[in-house]
Structure formats: C-alpha cells, structure tokens
Amino acid sequence: MNPVHDHRRLGRELDLFDTDPLMGAGLPYWLPDGAVVRHVLEEYVRAAERAAGYRHVYSPVLGKRELYEISGHWSHYGDDMFPPMRLGGEEVVLRPSLCPHHALIYRSRSHSYRELPLRIAELGGMYRSELSGVLGGLTRVRAIQLNDAHIFCTPEQAVAEARDALALIRRAYDDLGIRASRYRLSLPGDSGKYVADPALWRRANALLEEVLDGVEYESVAGEAAFYGPKIDVQITDPAGRESTLSTVQIDFHQPERFDLHYIGPDGDKHRPVMVHRSIIGSVERAVAHLVETHGGAFPVWLAPVQLVVLPVGDAQEEQALDVVRRAEERGIRAELSGPGHGTLGARVRAARLVPYQAVIGEREAEAGSAAVRLRDGRRPGAVPVDELLDRIGARDGDRGAELWAAA
C-alpha cells in the first residue's frame, strides 16, 4: 500500500487511534481527535436513522450460550466466537452479532400488523475471535462497534424496506465522500456452515433479486451469512483491496428460530420477516476507509478540528481566543495555535489538514476580521469573523464539499 494512504500510519500521525500490547492485539483505543471523528460519524448515523423511522435501543454485549444456540451462531459461527465464560452455573458469551438480542427485544412485546414495519437500530459492541495474523489497524479488529439495525415487517413489506435501506446507504456514502465499487449478491456455497432450509434460501434470494432490480450487481457463491443471502456493498481502498462496508439481508431463519410473530388482520399469528441492514458497517472499518480516501483531510463536518486560529504575535492572542470562543459557541470545533507553538509558517504547516485557518495580525485584530487560508491552498483574504463562522457553519450543516463557495 502507498504509505501516504495507509490509515495505520496516518491514524498514528494524526493522533486518531493507537494500540497497546497490554490491551491486546486487535483492540485499538481512540485518542481525542479520533474520538471526535467517531462521535460525529455515530451521531450522523443516528440522526439519519431517526429521520428514516428507526427507534434506537441498547442491548448487552454478553448473552447466554443458549441464546446463540437458538440463533444458530453457536453451531454455524462458533469458530469466530470467543469461548464461553462461566458465571455460576451458566455460560455466557461475548456476542458476535446483535441480531439475536434484537430478536428478543421484538419478542418481549406482542405486535399487531399495524405496528409493522418496526425498525430498531443500535450502535453496539460485538466481538470476533479473529486470528492474530489477519488483524490490522482498524480494518480487522476483535472489538467492533457496529452500526446495526433490524426491521421486523410483513413479507409484503420486505422488498420496499430493503430498497429503502440501500437508498439510505447511498445517501450516507454521498455525505461521507466515498463510493461503492460494486454491489454483490452473496449466496451460499458448498460448505456446511449454512443452515439447511432450501425453501427459505430460495425465498430470501428471490426477494433480494427483486430489491436489486435495476442495480448492476454480481452474484458470488460462498459469501452469504450462515442464515441467509445478503446484499454486500463493496468498497475499494487506495491500494485496490476490496472489502464489505455495508449490508442488507432478508432473513426468514431467525424469526422462525425465535418463534417471532405478529397478529394479522385476521386475528391469527403470522411470522414476520427480519431485514438486517447496516449503513456504515463497523465504525472502525468506516473510519479506516475515510482516513485513506481523504488522506486525513476529512470533509468539514467530520474534521476533528474545523478551524485553527493563528495570532501572528502575543499581542493578538486575546482576540484570537475570542474567535475560538465565538466559534465554539456556534458548535464549530476550533483551536488556538499561538506563537508558543513556533513561527507562523510552522504553525500553518502543522495545521495543513484543518479545513480553515484564520490568521490574526494587527490589522485584523483592529478590524474584527481574520485573514483566511483554506486547506486547498486558496486565500480568500481578510474576512469579518462573523462571515467566516457563518461560512464554516453552513458547510458543516449541509456537509458540502466546497470549502469556499462564491458569495
């Protein structure tokens, strides 16, 4: 991989994340700037989901072994799970997936067909027992923060819900400045890791093909989830390596295993369909791809620091601090880089990935303005501080790619 685009190197250079052998391999921790990127990304996803009619839940990262025996993870996915832990007379497991927990949340209350589709979402932790040889940076980790959601719906609603999920994924990619390299319909292979119910596989596959009508895609055997086929949205890193970021699945297996039902208009019990979908997949992989796609120069709305204020000398530091304060009051992430951090040129270079730099010299301090430098090298010149903050706030709010649109 070109080292310029290696998220592992950039992540450490930019103080986004790191690892420590005492924490363990595949268990990165997030530094303050990385935590900002992660928080902003998570809040973006939550807001997008709320606008699309999802309701958020929290569920524990542990579950009894019996839970995963019912879901099928224990028999079909056991090699990827951590070993169980003894708690008294019970065995509990770090969860490898959120879907069994969400199935129990659905099952905890009775539901009428009038409530469907019921969309529940969670940004939750899960754990995979990855071999040490495949671990790397944020792309392959053992502790995963997953953007996950499950839609419980009637069979007649499943195609529309899955299509809406794909549309949500496309909008997110546009906002994040990334693109899908291809769509893949992942089908079962010849191994024994898949549940044996040909009728349910055929039914789910037919619905996903309907979802993909009009979308260019490839069918690939051996990449399905153990309980059903799925649509994988593939991304490609700058080195040309492909991976899955987002997924949409239609699942008939787990509703049956957990005996889920809703009351139909006829007053009888009916089996819902479970649509699994993830907009950005794991937060770790999403951030790794964003770092490599943008080379650390994040879109304005994702940048850990959106504005750095640079007083030319000590005499302008008070005015510069006032600009930082005013920016923070507007929700703009701003920092002061004063003369104590080096010459003005050195400070400008150190802030090269920050979208906006505001230089305040004697004239700017007297006029209540700032000499603006943009990350892309442009210099719009001296601008009133309020206008600068208005422009940054607008770019943050609309997630626009253009740093300085014509007035």
Side-chain angles (χ1 to χ4, degrees), residues 87 112 117 155 172 190 206 276 290-291 334 352 388:
L87 283 180
S112 163
D190 297 328
H276 306 237
L290 285 166
V291 169
R352 67 191 182 282
L388 171 61

Side-chain angles (χ1 to χ4, degrees), residues 14 308 310 337 341 344-354 357:
L14 302 177
V308 64
L310 305 109
S337 180
H341 290 89
L344 179 61
R347 287 179 279 149
V348 166
R349 290 190 294 275
R352 67 191 182 282
L353 296 180
V354 177
Q357 298 179 6

Side-chain angles (χ1 to χ4, degrees), residues 63-76 81 93 99-101 103-104 107 195 226-227 251-260:
K64 290 171 64 174
R65 170 176 166 170
E66 181 184 359
L67 170 62
Y68 305 105
E69 290 174 341
I70 293 171
S71 70
H73 285 83
W74 190 256
S75 58
H76 295 281
M81 296 174 63
V93 181
C99 41
H101 293 251
L104 293 184
R107 197 175 73 176
V195 297
F226 73 85
Y227 49 80
D251 178 9
F252 293 100
H253 171 73
Q254 291 195 69
E256 187 172 286
R257 297 281 291 188
F258 285 100
D259 192 25
L260 306 184

Side-chain angles (χ1 to χ4, degrees), residues 321-343:
L321 280 169
D322 182 63
V323 174
V324 171
R325 178 187 57 77
R326 290 160 64 185
E328 290 175 340
E329 287 176 351
R330 295 179 179 224
I332 295 168
R333 296 184 291 279
E335 286 187 359
L336 176 75
S337 180
H341 290 89
T343 66

Side-chain angles (χ1 to χ4, degrees), residues 82-201:
F82 281 96
M85 297 170 279
R86 298 291 303 184
L87 283 180
E90 297 179 341
E91 288 187 329
V92 295
V93 181
L94 285 168
R95 67 178 174 193
S97 176
L98 279 69
C99 41
H101 293 251
H102 288 187
L104 293 184
I105 290 173
Y106 177 88
R107 197 175 73 176
S108 68
R109 304 288 187 274
S110 62
H111 300 281
S112 163
Y113 72 97
R114 292 185 178 89
E115 300 173 57
L116 306 185
L118 177 64
R119 308 178 187 98
I120 63 174
E122 180 175 2
L123 274 156
M126 66 181 196
Y127 299 84
R128 300 283 172 87
S129 182
E130 299 277 11
L131 298 175
S132 58
V134 301
L135 299 172
L138 295 178
T139 55
R140 291 293 290 270
V141 294
R142 288 172 170 158
I144 301 165
Q145 191 74 6
L146 186 69
N147 157 231
D148 207 7
H150 298 92
I151 305 161
F152 300 89
C153 61
T154 69
E156 295 75 22
Q157 295 168 330
V159 169
E161 289 298 315
R163 281 180 179 156
D164 286 347
L166 274 183
L168 201 56
I169 290 167
R170 292 190 188 100
R171 287 197 296 274
Y173 282 26
D174 286 343
D175 287 339
L176 292 166
I178 60 179
R179 67 180 185 86
S181 54
R182 68 180 178 124
Y183 292 85
R184 184 178 76 190
L185 179 57
S186 295
L187 303 172
D190 297 328
S191 72
K193 73 174 186 177
Y194 303 102
V195 297
D197 195 328
L200 292 185
W201 282 95

Side-chain angles (χ1 to χ4, degrees), residues 254-274:
Q254 291 195 69
E256 187 172 286
R257 297 281 291 188
F258 285 100
D259 192 25
L260 306 184
H261 62 265
Y262 64 91
I263 304 302
D266 56 2
D268 290 338
K269 291 182 177 180
H270 297 267
R271 187 79 70 205
V273 178
M274 194 171 173

